[in-house]
Amino acid sequence: MTARAAKARREKAPALGAFRRIVVKVGSALLVDSKAGALRRAWLEALVDDLAAHHTRGADILVVSSGSIALGRSVLQLPRGALKLEDSQAAAAVGQIALAHVWSEAFRRHGMTAGQILVTFGDTEERRRYLNARATIERLLEMRATPVINENDTVATHEIRYGDNDRLAARVAAMASADCLVLLSDVDGLYTAPPASDPNARHIPIVPRVTAEIEAMAGGAVSELSRGGMTTKIEAAKIATTAGVHMAIADGRVDHPLKRISEGGRCTWFLTPSNPVTARKKWIAGSLEPKGVVRVDAGAAQALANGKSLLPAGVTAVEGGFARGDCVLIRNADGGEIGRGLIAYDAIEAMRIMGRSSRDIEKLLGYAGRAAMIHRDDMALGGA
Ligand code: GLU
């Protein structure tokens, strides 16, 4: 057993009942019966029973709910198969009303109030709008209301949309400074290989860090029905854990899925290593469109872990066409993502100064730039 595997075995699954702010993401397949196109109301009410129990003990609850397109397409009797963008937008417009109504009613049974928030990609990527959305969420939670959130599919275009609520939910969890995110899905977690086709596939209960190895387990398996969507879930895990949020992937097909997690039901926990993360770093952590990659050597990786800035000397490769101020991924020698940060140089400049001492920057670029390629205040560390 490797040292990492031994450590993973020692790590304990967190207790759901100990979290103070929980985001629960509910997938379309759980909410809407695909054959009948009808809402699975009894299941939803059982889930809301679980949410209400956490609310009663004092936790804040946020729901990220999919299902608007699935519901709307059945109301509008759209054909099966992939929808054209305009059709899915029309379906979302019809379905979202029904969806919001159902959540609102289900919470009302417990004396709880729901508030709908529809966000676009730009609302979370642009810092000023992000801060606005965050303030609204915070105010709702102060008033003990429950935000029910979805992407604003009716106005999103192909180029600028999340498309999946896994990453949206992770972004929301970071935005709301939640300490836990649960992705309810039709799988009970991450496996070492596709479980449907590989009898030796092992379920992984705890992932202490999203390493390159973990990313590889999800990648390449998107065609496997049993692990469909695992790639976006691992992306979500990276965003969440880098922002100080523990994340679980759990089976939502059972009634009372949160109660089941608390009772030790099978799921995969992705643990956040973070100490308290500043709000600015959470925003960086959740950036969905990193524009490039810098690879760093082992010495630099260690320095970053010790809270230092990234100097050009520790950078071994630069990829992508980023501009100064863009968000880039920081990868270690194994290719594992160790964090994200706002870079102080354009890609061409970064290539010129990588591997060199900061003292040489002026000579290489013709002006005295910053000593750090990524300053530690502009960096959020997470993974490998
Ligand atoms: N926002 C989409 C909807 O409500 C769902 C996206 C997803 O299922 O991840 O229909």
Side-chain angles (χ1 to χ4, degrees):
M1 187 164 42
T2 63
R4 185 172 280 160
K7 180 154 184 278
R9 187 163 286 189
R10 279 198 308 275
E11 303 265 9
K12 273 185 46 192
L16 211 49
F19 290 113
R20 53 167 185 80
R21 187 168 285 183
I22 304 176
V23 179
V24 176
K25 180 255 169 176
V26 184
S28 302
L30 298 174
L31 272 172
V32 184
D33 181 325
S34 63
K35 283 198 196 80
L39 202 102
R40 299 177 62 223
R41 194 177 291 265
W43 176 87
L44 181 132
E45 285 176 358
L47 168 65
V48 171
D49 291 347
D50 290 3
L51 293 170
H54 285 282
H55 188 259
T56 304
R57 73 165 169 82
D60 293 329
I61 302 298
L62 298 92
V63 173
V64 173
S65 176
S66 308
S68 69
I69 297 173
L71 271 179
R73 74 185 292 160
S74 99
V75 175
L76 294 169
Q77 299 185 337
L78 298 175
R80 292 183 154 268
L83 292 179
K84 288 207 295 281
L85 181 66
E86 309 85 87
D87 289 347
S88 63
Q89 290 180 317
V94 170
Q96 185 62 36
I97 291 185
L99 194 60
H101 181 72
V102 169
W103 281 110
S104 173
E105 287 298 307
F107 279 117
R108 204 199 307 273
R109 286 174 56 240
H110 292 272
M112 293 168 68
T113 305
Q116 171 180 266
I117 302 184
L118 299 178
V119 292
T120 60
F121 190 76
D123 293 333
T124 59
E125 291 302 282
E126 198 190 297
R127 185 144 167 89
R128 201 168 42 84
R129 282 153 72 186
Y130 171 92
L131 294 176
N132 275 337
R134 192 178 71 168
T136 308
I137 289 175
E138 198 54 51
R139 191 73 193 108
L140 280 169
L141 293 173
E142 270 167 26
M143 297 191 280
R144 300 295 285 145
T146 301
V148 176
I149 301 161
N150 196 359
E151 181 163 17
N152 194 351
D153 292 308
T154 52
V155 295
T157 63
H158 274 309
E159 302 77 43
I160 45 156
R161 71 194 294 247
Y162 281 88
D164 67 273
N165 276 2
D166 294 326
R167 292 175 309 144
L168 174 67
R171 193 64 159 136
V172 164
M175 182 193 269
S177 296
D179 48 3
C180 175
L181 165 64
V182 179
L183 301 183
L184 291 179
S185 147
D186 55 1
V187 287
D188 58 7
L190 179 68
Y191 285 78
T192 51
S197 58
D198 186 343
N200 296 322
R202 272 185 309 109
H203 176 265
I204 305 177
I206 297 193
V207 177
R209 297 274 189 286
V210 181
T211 57
E213 194 188 350
I214 294 289
E215 284 192 59
M217 285 174 194
V222 273
S223 61
E224 290 284 339
L225 220 56
S226 56
R227 300 209 304 166
M230 197 47 85
T231 310
T232 56
K233 290 184 176 50
I234 298 294
E235 271 307 307
K238 287 197 282 183
I239 293 169
T241 57
T242 307
V245 185
H246 290 303
M247 187 186 105
I249 299 175
D251 195 345
R253 289 169 299 187
V254 294
D255 279 349
H256 297 288
L258 298 185
K259 192 155 161 265
R260 186 161 175 276
I261 297 174
S262 295
E263 290 168 354
R266 184 179 257 207
C267 64
T268 297
W269 278 103
F270 296 80
L271 305 183
T272 176
S274 329
N275 319 311
V277 181
T278 64
R280 174 173 168 77
K281 289 193 179 212
K282 280 185 184 161
W283 179 67
I284 295 170
S287 167
L288 289 171
E289 279 197 318
K291 298 285 187 332
V293 176
V294 291
R295 289 179 195 275
V296 303
D297 61 23
Q302 188 56 50
L304 299 189
N306 293 338
K308 299 281 193 306
S309 295
L310 177 64
L311 301 178
V315 175
T316 56
V318 169
E319 294 155 26
F322 51 83
R324 179 176 171 202
D326 280 346
C327 182
V328 297
L329 299 179
I330 308 169
R331 293 195 181 273
N332 64 16
D334 301 338
E337 181 181 325
I338 54 178
R340 292 157 189 232
L342 307 181
I343 193 153
Y345 290 96
D346 293 344
I348 296 190
E349 296 172 328
M351 271 174 214
R352 243 180 248 156
I353 60 174
M354 72 180 190
R356 306 290 292 262
S357 158
S358 300
R359 279 193 308 274
D360 297 339
I361 293 176
E362 185 163 6
K363 198 168 67 202
L364 291 164
L365 299 184
Y367 69 93
R370 287 166 185 268
M373 200 179 271
I374 302 177
H375 191 272
R376 60 188 186 161
D377 293 345
D378 291 335
M379 190 188 304
L381 296 181

